[in-house]
Amino acid sequence: MTKVTVAEEWLNACAGCEIAILNVGDVLVDLLVNNLDFVHIPVLIDKKYFGQTGEEKELSIPEAVVGIVSGGVRNEEHKEVLLEMRKKCQILIALGTCATDGGIPALINMYSDEDLKQFYYKDSPTTDPADYPTEHIPPLLDRCYALDEFVKVDLSLPGCPPHPDWIAGAILALLDGKTEFKMPERSVCDACPTVRESKKGIEDIKRLYEAAEYDPEKPLNEMRCLLEQGLLCLGPVTGVGCGGTKGAPRCISARVPCRGCYGPIRKGAKPLVDYMGALASVGFDPNKMLDRRGYLARFSGAHGVLKKIG
Amino acid sequence: MGKTLNIAPITRIEGHASVAIHLDDSGNVSDAKMHVLSLRGFEQFVLGRPVEEVPRIVPRICGICPWHHHLASNKAADACLGVELPPTGRKLRELCQMMAYIPDKILHFYFLAAPDFVLGPDADYSVRNVVGIVGANPELAKKVVHMRYKGQMLLEKFAGKVIHPIAGVVGGFSKPLLEDERKEILAGIQELKDFCVFTIKFAREEVFPKYLDAVKILGVFPSGYLGTVRPSDGALELYDGELRMMDKDGNFDQFTYPEYVDHIGEHTEPWSYLKFPYAKKHGALKLDENDPVGVYRANCLARINVCDKMATPLAQEELDIFRKEFGRPTHLTLLYHWARLIELVQACEKAEELLNDPEITGREHRAKNIQPRAGDGVGCVEAPRGTLIHHYKTDDNGLVTMANLIVGTTHNNAPMNLSVKQAAKALIKDGKYDQGILNRVEMAIRAYDP
Ligand code: SF4
Ligand code: SF4
Ligand code: SF4
């Protein structure tokens, strides 16, 4: 069997998506040996952009059938690498919520780069104030972007990080000659076994330092829905998938509310508007919500969703 | 005219960096620098958020060591809100810290570092990687993948999410550990401990001896060290204790977390987004590999240097062997790999100890009646790459007004640069360089990571 060539890159990423690839588990070794041929993956292989001795002038990545990119686009180098990946790969996969929707790093879109640098290089309690660095480093873009704001993405696997089930599923589908692989367009609540009574009358929103009520000896399907207990749970407006193809939502399993790490349920969904409706339906006054954008767009600040404040 | 070799990206590390090596007309190294290419802005974008939410945001600083950021952040948030943890909550967090260490160190040693040692620094890049390791020793490779996976899954099953964790909460831990879970995790940890003890013996006897020559020349320079110790007896601590800043001769200051501002300063260079922390007592930072000033290192070799002893028996046996051969402090950069495995043994033993403590299955895992308030809190833990310092301030509503973060890689920015310069100068002469030589320069960086 011929192997499928794969190139992998990380942009404004944290390496969690790459660790999630390793968490595909024991089948990984077989895949690596028999099915996949990684031609470029900085976390594991020493392939260099400017040639192995660094003398070439132009950045280049080898050709591959499948390209996997994690992380959003935040500086000129990220953009250059992304465009090169698109040029060299037949199928481009956006891996993780940073790549599909900006992820946590896109929270920066609410602030100016000037404020960020002012604190980091001048005002921080341990820093000797200095001019901002400019030499040999790629300039920042005006904000943090998702991949599809610059290139065509063939397959999106959101999640921070994506569950290995979806990564393995996508890879196996591709090996099978299929180019279609879609995440389900349902909400975290759809996979959540907690008990919902839909009674109204909850007035106070609890903060995360307040605990849910549950009996630890009893399974999730005997715990009351966290949102109905007054905890902000983003389940209703977040895409399903964190428990893999079968499991329960991960945060709920740890008895804490969802914070939305799989991004919106479908492209173009409006979590902010939808969530206000969900809150009202359990009796909250949505106006009492603290740091509303910091909850509702925590993982999806690209695509112009989070704009500068002030 | 001389020329510049642009080595990008630095590979088999976590993060985005490149190295530029400048050669003069005769082909000798005039300068070499490591450029960190990104600035992500966590200090900025946690502002205005409820402080108890920050431990759910900052793990994204690093997906290889998310637990350590999660836990340091939880400690800082506890301190801002003035919360005391019940002993069970504290121990559950410490257990997770130990369990997170184990798969991470297995990953680093076998996947990121070992290709240089097992296949050799001159092997072609296309085989000098984890796939090459699989080819060289398929049985061992399968076992490594399995053991790393097992470590990850034990933690995931108990704590819900292993990458970018959620189960640490201000005031403690979100759920108790049940007796059945405890038994299952304990059995898994014992198996991992056996594998880790095998690993250090294998490395000590079969891998490192072949490279002792390289160890003595690559990236070597005298520096200070930063790590955490147990206040009662100076034993190496990975979770909680006091910070020790040692100078290159082995003298040290010991201080509590909030005192970090008196001991650490940060300097900026125009050619890297990342700042360069230095030991304040020396007054300034001088990036000169022959006569460095203010430079200190963090991460495993630093912890092994600053501690008086290990906290557990098998790890202590390993430290004895190490100290007999290399002394204290030792400045040989490639010994990071060895030090990493000594700590791995302690992490396994410590996890076992915690799982055998009756309090670990207690039901008071989380403090009650927490209120927002204005506060100032510093939380630290030792991450695989070095001491994490999370410092937050809050307003009356418990919303963040200031966040100062100094993380593992940042501490090592100055020493990584010096190691690169020293290695490049020692290895590249008269215009002669090749892939193998340049890979050796990178090895000087890889030692620090994670
Ligand atoms: S999606 Fe999450 S895990 Fe993946 S790179 Fe972004 S922050 Fe890291
Ligand atoms: S709101 Fe949260 S707890 Fe309730 S059903 Fe949805 S995911 Fe589950
Ligand atoms: S419950 Fe929500 S925040 Fe938690 S892992 Fe699932 S999608 Fe992410």
Side-chain angles (χ1 to χ4, degrees):
Chain A
M1 176 179 184
T2 49
K3 294 188 181 182
V4 174
T5 49
V6 185
E8 203 268 356
E9 264 291 350
W10 44 13
L11 308 177
N12 199 31
C14 78
C17 282
E18 284 69 23
I19 298 290
I21 298 178
L22 295 180
N23 282 3
V24 166
D26 294 344
V27 295
L28 189 73
V29 175
D30 293 334
L31 279 176
L32 280 178
V33 174
N34 301 321
N35 304 107
L36 305 179
D37 182 9
F38 274 100
V39 292
H40 178 88
I41 170 169
V43 69
L44 292 178
I45 293 182
D46 301 329
K47 177 79 189 66
K48 304 299 183 197
Y49 296 147
F50 301 99
Q52 293 307 112
T53 50
E55 287 167 321
E56 284 159 31
K57 292 283 164 266
E58 280 192 21
L59 180 154
S60 94
I61 288 170
E63 293 196 356
V65 173
V66 180
I68 304 175
V69 179
S70 72
V73 186
R74 175 70 171 115
N75 66 36
E76 296 288 354
E77 192 206 28
H78 297 148
K79 192 171 157 188
E80 194 182 346
V81 169
L82 175 63
L83 296 178
E84 175 69 8
M85 283 287 283
R86 181 66 274 187
K87 213 159 75 194
K88 297 295 178 63
C89 303
Q90 293 169 31
I91 299 167
L92 191 75
I93 302 180
L95 184 69
T97 307
C98 288
T100 60
D101 297 274
I104 288 268
L107 277 171
I108 199 66
N109 293 355
M110 293 170 72
Y111 305 86
S112 78
D113 289 343
E114 178 55 34
D115 286 350
L116 153 68
K117 290 180 180 170
Q118 172 75 27
F119 177 80
Y120 191 72
Y121 296 113
K122 294 186 194 293
D123 297 346
S124 117
T126 35
T127 300
D128 306 335
D131 289 340
Y132 308 147
T134 51
E135 298 166 19
H136 249 295
I137 45 178
L140 296 173
L141 299 176
D142 61 327
R143 63 172 174 90
C144 181
Y145 293 82
L147 303 189
D148 66 359
E149 296 183 86
F150 291 110
V151 298
K152 175 172 174 274
V153 168
D154 300 299
L155 209 157
S156 287
L157 293 179
C160 183
H163 191 285
D165 281 1
W166 306 111
I167 301 175
I171 292 175
L172 294 173
L174 288 172
L175 289 176
D176 215 25
K178 299 192 185 101
T179 47
E180 274 291 297
F181 179 85
K182 262 198 152 18
M183 297 283 296
E185 293 191 339
R186 289 180 287 118
S187 76
V188 170
C189 295
D190 282 321
C192 180
T194 57
V195 182
R196 273 150 282 188
E197 295 170 7
S198 303
K199 282 188 201 135
K200 304 213 173 191
I202 304 155
E203 279 170 17
D204 276 329
I205 297 175
K206 291 196 179 111
R207 285 177 63 169
L208 190 61
Y209 50 65
E210 295 172 83
E213 278 177 28
Y214 66 94
D215 178 347
E217 306 283 353
K218 294 201 173 136
L220 283 185
N221 63 11
E222 295 186 43
M223 175 174 85
R224 184 153 185 220
C225 162
L226 300 179
L227 186 55
E228 291 188 4
Q229 291 195 35
L231 284 150
L232 280 172
C233 182
L234 278 282
V237 293
T238 302
V240 74
C242 61
T245 46
K246 291 190 246 355
R250 305 207 154 196
C251 297
I252 317 303
S253 305
R255 319 273 183 169
V256 293
C258 173
R259 282 292 175 266
C261 83
Y262 263 60
I265 296 172
R266 66 184 71 81
K267 224 179 148 54
K270 296 215 161 25
L272 199 104
V273 179
D274 297 344
Y275 198 67
M276 293 301 140
L279 282 185
S281 80
V282 286
F284 286 148
D285 173 1
N287 295 320
K288 286 193 196 161
M289 199 175 160
L290 217 57
D291 185 29
R292 200 184 301 181
R293 297 202 296 171
Y295 285 100
L296 295 173
R298 185 175 296 178
F299 290 90
S300 52
H303 300 114
V305 170
L306 279 179
K307 300 206 175 68
K308 309 233 180 294
I309 31 181
Chain B
M1 256 291 280
K3 66 172 161 184
T4 300
L5 308 178
N6 191 5
I7 312 304
I10 306 300
T11 40
R12 285 187 281 131
I13 64 160
E14 194 281 310
H16 297 75
S18 69
V19 165
I21 301 174
H22 305 282
L23 304 182
D24 60 21
D25 290 340
S26 50
N28 292 317
V29 175
S30 57
D31 201 2
K33 290 187 177 110
M34 185 187 84
H35 307 281
V36 171
L37 305 174
S38 65
L39 172 65
R40 305 179 67 214
F42 280 82
E43 287 89 348
Q44 187 67 35
F45 64 63
V46 298
L47 298 183
R49 320 243 168 270
V51 71
E52 72 278 12
E53 298 286 339
V54 179
R56 293 195 66 164
I57 295 174
V58 292
R60 276 78 185 182
I61 292 171
C62 174
I64 295 188
C65 57
W67 273 97
H68 313 294
H69 284 289
H70 183 59
L71 295 171
S73 178
N74 264 307
K75 282 190 186 182
D78 291 336
C80 284
L81 300 184
V83 186
E84 282 288 329
L85 262 61
T88 298
R90 188 195 171 285
K91 285 177 184 171
L92 286 171
R93 284 192 193 169
E94 183 173 0
L95 175 65
C96 290
Q97 162 89 353
M98 296 307 143
M99 289 176 71
Y101 253 92
I102 301 168
D104 178 86
K105 284 176 183 281
I106 295 176
L107 170 81
H108 185 274
F109 178 69
Y110 286 106
F111 286 21
L112 307 184
D116 293 325
F117 294 106
V118 174
L119 300 143
D122 292 306
D124 190 75
Y125 80 87
S126 57
V127 292
R128 193 183 57 223
N129 53 55
V130 61
V131 182
I133 299 262
V134 174
N137 195 340
E139 282 320 303
L140 180 61
K142 274 202 175 143
K143 175 113 194 186
V144 170
V145 171
H146 178 72
M147 293 313 292
R148 192 204 73 87
Y149 180 65
K150 180 161 194 147
Q152 290 274 87
M153 290 309 120
L154 278 177
L155 187 49
E156 177 144 300
K157 202 171 156 199
F158 164 57
K161 207 165 173 245
V162 61
I163 306 170
H164 302 327
I166 50 190
V169 286
V170 169
F173 208 75
S174 73
K175 61 197 278 270
L177 179 69
L178 305 177
E179 179 55 20
D180 287 351
E181 293 173 320
R182 186 191 73 86
K183 283 203 195 106
E184 187 186 343
I185 296 174
L186 185 60
I189 289 293
Q190 282 162 345
E191 198 187 333
L192 281 159
K193 187 176 89 177
D194 291 344
F195 178 69
C196 295
V197 170
F198 154 80
T199 297
I200 190 165
K201 198 160 172 280
F202 167 71
R204 187 155 47 70
E205 291 172 1
E206 290 177 42
V207 180
F208 297 144
K210 284 189 254 171
Y211 293 95
L212 278 183
D213 290 347
V215 168
K216 288 186 182 135
I217 55 162
L218 255 187
V220 178
F221 62 92
S223 75
Y225 295 95
L226 174 72
T228 304
V229 295
R230 185 158 66 191
S232 60
D233 61 356
L236 184 142
E237 255 296 341
L238 295 171
Y239 181 65
D240 205 23
E242 287 181 351
L243 299 175
R244 239 183 215 184
M245 178 75 86
M246 181 178 260
D247 66 22
K248 65 181 181 1
D249 302 315
N251 311 307
F252 58 77
D253 291 321
Q254 191 168 319
F255 49 94
T256 60
Y257 297 161
E259 292 170 300
Y260 86 100
V261 282
D262 302 327
H263 295 267
I264 296 173
E266 290 184 280
H267 168 84
T268 303
E269 287 286 342
W271 39 267
S272 183
Y273 275 125
L274 195 63
K275 289 183 285 192
F276 297 76
Y278 64 94
K280 243 185 183 166
K281 124 172 151 186
H282 301 285
L285 177 73
K286 196 165 126 210
L287 284 172
D288 177 342
E289 73 280 14
N290 298 313
D291 180 27
V293 175
V295 175
Y296 69 89
R297 310 188 224 193
N299 188 333
C300 47
L301 184 66
R303 293 186 286 256
I304 290 288
N305 275 334
V306 303
C307 76
D308 297 324
K309 59 182 200 172
M310 300 302 288
T312 57
L314 291 176
Q316 181 60 38
E317 284 175 24
E318 292 296 336
L319 181 68
D320 290 340
I321 298 172
F322 182 89
R323 284 241 163 112
K324 218 168 125 210
E325 188 143 353
F326 305 108
R328 174 194 182 197
T330 169
H331 302 301
L332 305 181
T333 301
L334 291 193
L335 290 181
Y336 267 96
H337 297 296
W338 194 323
R340 185 168 290 120
L341 298 177
I342 303 176
E343 286 189 335
L344 172 61
V345 174
Q346 171 160 324
C348 294
E349 289 182 284
K350 198 79 202 173
E352 197 178 16
E353 201 177 281
L354 284 160
L355 285 159
N356 282 321
D357 180 336
E359 243 173 3
I360 199 84
T361 45
R363 286 304 156 89
E364 276 184 49
H365 50 90
R366 190 170 180 170
K368 293 193 180 71
N369 301 322
I370 299 170
Q371 297 296 329
R373 66 165 206 186
D376 185 329
V378 182
C380 299
V381 301
E382 287 294 330
R385 293 171 167 209
T387 317
L388 299 184
I389 301 173
H390 283 241
H391 179 191
Y392 314 142
K393 288 186 186 173
T394 51
D395 66 11
D396 294 338
N397 247 333
L399 306 183
V400 177
T401 57
M402 193 285 308
N404 192 34
L405 308 174
I406 307 179
V407 308
T409 312
T410 316
H411 295 294
N412 280 333
N413 196 12
M416 282 194 279
N417 263 284
L418 293 187
S419 293
V420 161
K421 217 194 297 183
Q422 191 271 354
K425 285 191 171 169
L427 295 169
I428 301 175
K429 297 269 190 242
D430 306 325
K432 288 198 198 76
Y433 58 88
D434 59 23
Q435 214 197 111
I437 286 178
L438 296 173
N439 185 48
R440 282 183 180 78
V441 176
E442 269 188 77
M443 281 169 71
I445 298 176
R446 249 169 238 141
Y448 295 90
D449 179 286

